Amino acid sequence: MLLSEYVAEFFAQRGVRHAFVISGGASIHLLHAFHNNPNTMPVCPHHEQAAAMAADGYARATGNLGVAIGTSGPGAMNMITGIAGAWFDSVPCVYLTGQVTTFRLKGESKVRQFGFQETDILPMVEPITKYCVQIRDASRIRYELEKAVHIAKSGRPGPVLLDIPDDLQRTHIDSNDLVGFSLEPSVIPSHPDADQIDALTALITKSERPVLVFGWGVHLSSASQAALALADKWQMPILTTWGAKDIIPADHPLCVGVFGTHGTRTGNFTVQNADLVVSIGARLSTRETGSPLTSWAREADTVIVDIDAAELEKFAQFGRPITLPICADAMTSITTFEENCDISGEKWTQWMSKIRSWQQSYPICDVEDSDEINPYNLMNVLSDVSPDNAHIFSDTGCAVAWLMQGFRVKSGQRTFHDFNNTAMGWGLPAAIGGALALPETPVICVVGDGSFMMNIQELATLKHHNLSVKVILLDNSGYSMVRQTEEQWLDGLNVGTSDQSGLSFPEYKALAESFGLPFMTAEKTSEIRDVLRTAMDIDGPSFAHIKIPPDARVEPQVTYGYAIEDPEPHLPREEFLNNMIVKPHPKSLEAIAADRMLKTFNLR
């Protein structure tokens, strides 16, 4: 068979049914191989970035590999943003790039380029892949494919890239003569040791205000159900990062919600007032902890389970040492904890009661009668009408912040986002990938107008395959998240963030109709429910346009310098103090002192 045919069959045997491919001179043989294989199908988006992102969404939805293919030069380079998203979120994707023929490679010469569209892609993607290699010998294809897939899926998962010259793609090989890859033993501890179990048990036993944090790593290790079983046994309140929001349904009695710079007041008060944080599979980036890192859970003992030792070591490097770091897989850690930590959570009823009082005092959505659409009210309605087994893909900016704060996840639903790269334009192609991966699963794409414009061409891909993706477009006339930053730091001067300051947007009804998509719009609160229900009921793709006021903002949101328990809009200072069990951060204390001084001199 041809080497390209071997590649297609290799992925078919591993359950990969779709590859996202942009045709080109150096990738055409791979494209045809996936087309000719009876068990694979090439899906052809209109941009390599979208192809890379669709493969990412495909992998997230299935838990298996995602595959995308681009041609040499600009095709390969266009994939980089999508590759980075898979890298930062530890998603196992295989990216294949075509390359000029081996006899046109520049080799050790000092020229910039010898073959037409020759680009040395490997050094560009090396920082954002677990493994990247150029195939120079056709007989090595089995070895390199097996090695790449093993690396992509083992340990902390992530993307890999194989660069395959055009002449090798069309070389005939005998698959019986190919050498395979021998697995190397893992160096990652399989589970916490006895001393760590004893230390964890002691910390939990003495705790009065513990909290259990779940992160995206719980999904990556297929440990979602085990995580809930552990929480039920310990009866410990649960916080999640954005990547794990869908692990626990919103109506679960232990669910507190999300936390961080774009978290909820309840979530932030909970983690900041805790005396013990047990975090499993959460990288705990600055979006969760705020800045500086020393302000996060500052009076709590911390137990952090992560498969990546570097993620554990960063805490001490940034001045917040971990009480008990455990370098291990999330699934094995959770099962080990459940089997060996005999913990009773009955003594935490007072702590749970305090958390419930925060939830009652600071709801995410207050029902309102205004005609203007409040995005949190929109998320409330979307929670009601979305199917119980829906997969919701969100793009970045205000769209994901409103979704993560306000959407009430049901049991069986999944929420996906480009959590750490947060690239504008990710949502639509990723939703396409997710819909192709699981065709019987309802898919919803929540995207802001700014992000939507980044990969708007993929509406054609959506229509071509008639995928049942419900596009919910939040039209707030530009980059609302950045406008919020301009208000905080630049006196509200808008530059390149609105239709009055450098951006232009299409007429969405005409746009949707030009792609052959059913269109509906809501401009008033009273119209939201009917529009969303209509969008959900349509057989095939639909396009729901929701008009959000340009001044709608993410609230609460933490500004730099404040610890995450004190986001904007700031609570009245005495009310804030009454919610703090631990000593407030110095920045908040300064604000409280200034507020009291103003009141003393009748200046407020």
Side-chain angles (χ1 to χ4, degrees):
M1 61 174 67
L2 296 177
L3 182 144
S4 55
E5 294 171 339
Y6 179 85
V7 172
E9 181 61 22
F10 177 89
F11 288 106
Q13 290 180 5
R14 283 154 182 80
V16 178
R17 299 292 176 247
H18 301 85
F20 299 89
V21 191
I22 303 292
S23 183
S27 62
I28 195 167
H29 297 290
L30 289 168
L31 169 62
H32 279 249
F34 275 87
H35 174 268
N36 294 334
N37 190 298
N39 296 312
T40 60
M41 171 185 170
V43 178
C44 301
H46 288 274
H47 197 290
E48 289 89 357
Q49 182 191 88
M53 292 172 173
D56 180 4
Y58 190 95
R60 293 181 197 238
T62 62
N64 192 18
L65 297 166
V67 175
I69 303 173
T71 193
S72 62
M77 288 186 287
N78 279 343
M79 298 171 75
I80 288 177
T81 301
I83 295 171
W87 167 251
F88 290 119
D89 284 356
S90 309
V91 180
C93 291
V94 179
Y95 294 102
L96 304 174
T97 53
Q99 187 54 274
V100 300
T101 54
T102 54
F103 55 85
R104 291 192 179 100
L105 290 169
K106 64 181 181 179
E108 298 302 319
S109 70
K110 301 299 182 181
V111 299
R112 296 185 180 185
Q113 184 185 67
F114 182 64
F116 174 67
Q117 282 194 336
E118 178 189 6
T119 300
D120 193 358
I121 191 64
L122 298 187
M124 297 183 188
V125 300
E126 185 176 8
I128 54 170
T129 55
K130 290 188 70 179
Y131 181 67
C132 59
V133 66
Q134 185 178 85
I135 307 298
R136 299 299 296 274
D137 180 350
S139 68
R140 299 279 293 174
I141 187 62
R142 175 186 169 190
Y143 175 91
E144 291 295 355
L145 283 170
E146 289 179 354
K147 180 179 180 180
V149 168
H150 169 69
I151 291 173
K153 299 185 77 170
S154 64
R156 182 177 182 178
V160 296
L161 183 142
L162 277 70
D163 192 44
I164 310 177
D166 170 71
D167 56 330
L168 296 190
Q169 294 176 36
R170 45 193 166 88
T171 296
H172 284 87
I173 58 174
D174 186 341
S175 59
N176 296 317
D177 294 338
L178 300 179
V179 177
F181 171 71
S182 299
L183 300 182
E184 299 174 359
S186 174
V187 296
I188 299 171
S190 60
H191 55 76
D193 60 35
D195 290 341
Q196 291 171 330
I197 293 296
D198 290 343
L200 172 62
T201 302
L203 289 170
I204 296 177
T205 300
K206 75 172 186 178
S207 172
E208 295 181 354
R209 301 186 306 278
V211 65
L212 189 54
V213 172
F214 293 140
W216 175 242
V218 174
H219 275 310
L220 292 174
S221 62
S222 302
S224 300
Q225 294 304 313
L228 281 183
L230 177 68
D232 286 336
K233 179 179 180 180
W234 283 357
Q235 285 297 295
M236 196 178 289
I238 300 172
L239 286 168
T240 72
T241 65
W242 283 4
K245 178 181 173 68
D246 52 9
I247 284 178
I248 181 168
D251 59 0
H252 193 288
L254 296 174
C255 179
V256 179
V258 296
F259 66 102
T261 57
H262 299 74
T264 63
R265 290 195 190 275
T266 297
N268 288 352
F269 277 140
T270 299
V271 72
Q272 294 298 87
N273 283 302
D275 63 5
L276 173 65
V277 177
V278 180
S279 173
I280 303 175
R283 191 171 67 84
L284 296 172
S285 71
T286 55
R287 187 176 59 212
E288 282 83 41
T289 65
S291 297
L293 184 56
T294 52
S295 68
W296 177 73
R298 52 192 173 273
E299 293 188 18
D301 288 317
T302 50
V303 180
I304 300 183
V305 178
D306 201 292
I307 201 168
D308 188 341
E311 296 290 358
L312 297 171
E313 292 164 0
K314 75 182 180 188
F315 287 88
Q317 294 170 1
F318 289 96
R320 181 65 173 88
I322 301 170
T323 310
L324 179 60
I326 300 175
C327 186
D329 171 73
M331 173 62 95
T332 53
S333 297
I334 289 169
T335 55
T336 302
F337 294 160
E338 185 173 11
E339 292 170 1
N340 296 281
C341 294
D342 189 16
I343 303 298
S344 172
E346 292 181 1
K347 66 175 183 175
W348 298 319
T349 53
Q350 186 175 352
W351 173 228
M352 287 298 303
S353 177
K354 180 64 175 175
I355 293 170
R356 295 292 173 243
S357 72
W358 284 325
Q359 290 176 323
Q360 292 174 4
S361 299
Y362 306 110
I364 290 297
C365 176
D366 289 322
V367 178
E368 55 181 54
D369 297 326
S370 172
D371 278 346
E372 285 195 332
I373 295 175
N374 181 313
Y376 292 102
N377 190 34
L378 167 65
M379 292 303 159
N380 198 38
V381 177
L382 182 60
S383 303
D384 290 340
V385 304
S386 58
D388 291 350
N389 61 336
H391 282 193
I392 300 100
F393 289 80
S394 175
D395 221 304
T396 192
C398 288
V400 69
W402 289 329
L403 183 83
M404 292 295 157
Q405 289 177 329
F407 186 81
R408 292 175 283 106
V409 174
K410 303 169 189 173
S411 180
Q413 291 181 332
R414 294 293 309 275
T415 52
F416 300 99
H417 176 58
D418 183 26
F419 296 111
N420 292 297
N421 199 40
T422 60
M424 294 177 69
W426 184 87
L428 179 57
I432 289 171
L436 285 162
L438 302 173
E440 301 303 317
T441 300
V443 174
I444 300 169
C445 175
V446 178
V447 57
D449 51 350
S451 295
F452 179 61
M453 295 296 290
M454 292 287 180
N455 271 316
I456 194 171
Q457 74 284 343
E458 299 314 320
L459 289 178
T461 310
L462 177 63
K463 177 60 178 177
H464 180 84
H465 294 277
N466 199 37
L467 301 173
S468 188
V469 175
K470 315 306 178 184
V471 178
I472 312 298
L473 177 68
L474 311 186
D475 175 11
N476 53 18
S477 304
Y479 304 164
S480 183
M481 178 76 78
V482 186
R483 289 202 297 265
Q484 189 165 348
T485 302
E486 288 175 325
E487 292 162 3
Q488 293 165 339
W489 297 100
L490 296 162
D491 299 322
L493 176 62
N494 295 154
V495 178
T497 56
S498 66
D499 51 6
Q500 293 85 23
S501 67
L503 294 177
S504 293
F505 294 90
E507 202 288 305
Y508 292 111
K509 184 175 187 295
L511 176 76
E513 291 175 347
S514 73
F515 283 102
L517 299 176
F519 177 86
M520 55 232 63
T521 187
E523 298 186 0
K524 298 179 180 179
T525 300
S526 58
E527 298 169 341
I528 298 174
R529 192 171 297 271
D530 286 343
V531 164
L532 291 182
R533 278 179 172 162
T534 301
M536 299 299 164
D537 290 342
I538 288 175
D539 185 18
S542 62
F543 190 112
H545 169 253
I546 312 295
K547 187 63 179 175
I548 306 289
D551 59 354
R553 296 292 180 261
V554 175
E555 295 181 348
Q557 185 195 78
V558 179
T559 52
Y560 180 78
Y562 284 89
I564 62 171
E565 71 266 19
D566 198 6
E568 290 186 344
H570 296 297
L571 295 176
R573 298 294 76 187
E574 295 303 321
E575 180 181 349
F576 168 74
L577 274 178
N578 290 336
N579 282 298
M580 293 302 295
I581 299 171
V582 307
K583 184 178 179 180
H585 188 261
K587 181 74 172 180
S588 295
L589 290 175
E590 292 173 10
I592 290 167
D595 181 72
R596 288 174 173 172
M597 183 175 293
L598 289 172
K599 288 180 178 178
T600 298
F601 289 96
N602 295 319
L603 296 176
R604 176 169 292 177

